[in-house]
Amino acid sequence: MNSTPSPDSACYVYGIVPADAPAPQDVVGVGDPSAPVVPVRYGGLAALVSEIDARRPLGTPRDLIGHARVLDTVAAGRTPVLPFRFGAVVRDEAAVTDELLAPQEQRFLAALEGLHGLAQFTARGTYRQDRVLREIVRDRPDIARLREEVADLPEAAAQPRRIRLGELVAEALTARARSDTDHLVAELGPLAEATARAEPTAEQPVTVSFLVDADRWTGFERAADVLAADWDGRVDFRLLGPLAPYDFAPQLVDAQGRGSWD
């Protein structure tokens, strides 16, 4: 960054790494155009930052992708990183050291030590609706009967039953998502240091994040491939990673160095 920044510029902070960590090279971060990502060091810490135009509002899809791209590139390089929430902006490099790194140095160092050699993988599954609905009708006689009743009734008379049918199907989908999530954790969890489950939603019924040691990345990905093959035709499965440990970092910090510890 410039030693004498413009009054219209500010310092965007991506996250915190050890002071001896290399800065990511040729990575497009936040801003349009994006400035180089550089480390601002203090003691054993470094904040990864880039200069942005303070007059330009943040929050475009390009900004969000750039924020994650920088952090995930660092994690993929086997560097421990504490990710910041999107939108962390401070005045300049002096504010990074004086207001962020110096007051929290020991806590950040301890957190980074706990993440050494680890990165996040996130597994997501979405249902092939026709296939899963057939399974539900097969496994739930009450839903099958109500479905037949609704089909035989006039539109007006069927409405209350149709509402109840929708409620039962939604409950069955949630139960199936929880069961599939349990299976996912049982298959991949033994290869991870920790897991974090997300509550199932209609759009994303199965989501689990895993904190995985770098020495196990290859084996973890192979196990995920086996699971994806088992679910083929029923669940569209995606494995994302290695990622920054968004769901596991002991602190998700903001620009003032505040945050809630897990």
Side-chain angles (χ1 to χ4, degrees), residues 24-50:
Q25 300 296 314
D26 302 321
V27 179
V28 177
V30 172
D32 187 11
S34 173
V37 178
V38 299
V40 176
R41 295 183 174 90
Y42 178 88
L45 302 172
L48 296 177
V49 307
S50 62

Side-chain angles (χ1 to χ4, degrees), residues 1-142:
M1 296 180 66
N2 296 329
S3 57
T4 56
S6 160
D8 295 326
S9 70
C11 197
Y12 186 91
V13 188
Y14 298 89
I16 300 171
V17 297
D20 58 358
Q25 300 296 314
D26 302 321
V27 179
V28 177
V30 172
D32 187 11
S34 173
V37 178
V38 299
V40 176
R41 295 183 174 90
Y42 178 88
L45 302 172
L48 296 177
V49 307
S50 62
E51 186 175 334
I52 60 170
D53 185 343
R55 299 167 298 180
R56 175 183 173 273
L58 295 172
T60 66
R62 174 190 172 100
D63 289 334
L64 294 165
I65 292 170
H67 176 84
R69 183 189 292 117
V70 169
L71 292 166
D72 295 342
T73 298
V74 173
R78 304 192 178 198
T79 295
V81 57
L82 285 172
F84 274 52
R85 297 183 180 95
F86 174 79
V89 179
V90 295
R91 183 179 65 256
D92 52 27
E93 291 188 13
V96 172
T97 57
D98 297 343
E99 300 173 15
L100 175 63
L101 298 180
Q104 303 282 353
E105 181 183 14
Q106 295 307 312
R107 297 175 78 188
F108 290 162
L109 286 171
L112 288 171
E113 179 63 27
L115 293 170
H116 182 74
L118 303 174
Q120 176 172 316
F121 286 78
T122 297
R124 292 176 178 166
T126 55
Y127 287 139
R128 299 283 182 93
Q129 288 293 331
D130 290 346
R131 170 77 175 271
V132 173
L133 288 175
R134 285 198 301 270
E135 291 178 1
I136 288 173
V137 171
R138 179 197 67 202
D139 297 341
R140 290 283 300 271
D142 57 331

Side-chain angles (χ1 to χ4, degrees), residues 188 218-232 237 239:
L188 300 185
T218 299
F220 184 87
E221 290 171 327
R222 287 174 180 162
D225 287 341
V226 172
L227 181 63
D230 289 343
W231 279 353
D232 187 42
F237 182 84
L239 182 67

